[in-house]
Amino acid sequence: MTEKKFVQLCKKYILVKFYDDKIKEDDIYVVWLCKILQNNKALLSTNNPDGLYFECTYNGDKKEMYLDAYKREWNECIKGE
């Protein structure tokens, strides 16, 4: 699977599963993307203020895709010395 097709599928599943098409595909963006051999992994987020971010994984051997959702619980700035 190409990276472009993988990202399109990730966005499609995020829209359907979490937002019932209440946001647009353009509101979802890729934070990090990696393709190794036949496998893909991406971290995605949205412009929506709900604090969710998503991890999509495609197992090319099994032709299976996994979608995980996470919510930020805590954030603190730690300044260097």
Side-chain angles (χ1 to χ4, degrees), residues 19 23 27 46-52:
Y19 296 105
I23 65 172
D27 293 328
T46 71
N47 295 326
N48 195 317
D50 60 7
L52 289 175

Side-chain angles (χ1 to χ4, degrees), residues 1 34-40 60-61:
M1 176 181 307
C34 183
K35 178 174 175 59
I36 299 176
L37 301 175
Q38 69 279 7
N39 303 309
N40 293 279
D61 291 332

Side-chain angles (χ1 to χ4, degrees), residues 1-43:
M1 176 181 307
T2 67
E3 290 178 9
K4 183 176 180 179
K5 181 168 175 75
F6 172 65
V7 170
Q8 288 173 333
L9 284 174
C10 292
K11 289 181 176 187
K12 174 186 167 189
Y13 290 126
I14 290 168
L15 283 173
V16 170
K17 180 70 178 172
F18 293 94
Y19 296 105
D20 295 323
D21 294 324
K22 293 177 184 171
I23 65 172
K24 298 177 184 172
E25 188 174 315
D26 291 341
D27 293 328
I28 302 171
Y29 57 91
V30 175
V31 176
W32 178 82
L33 175 67
C34 183
K35 178 174 175 59
I36 299 176
L37 301 175
Q38 69 279 7
N39 303 309
N40 293 279
K41 185 175 285 274
L43 299 178

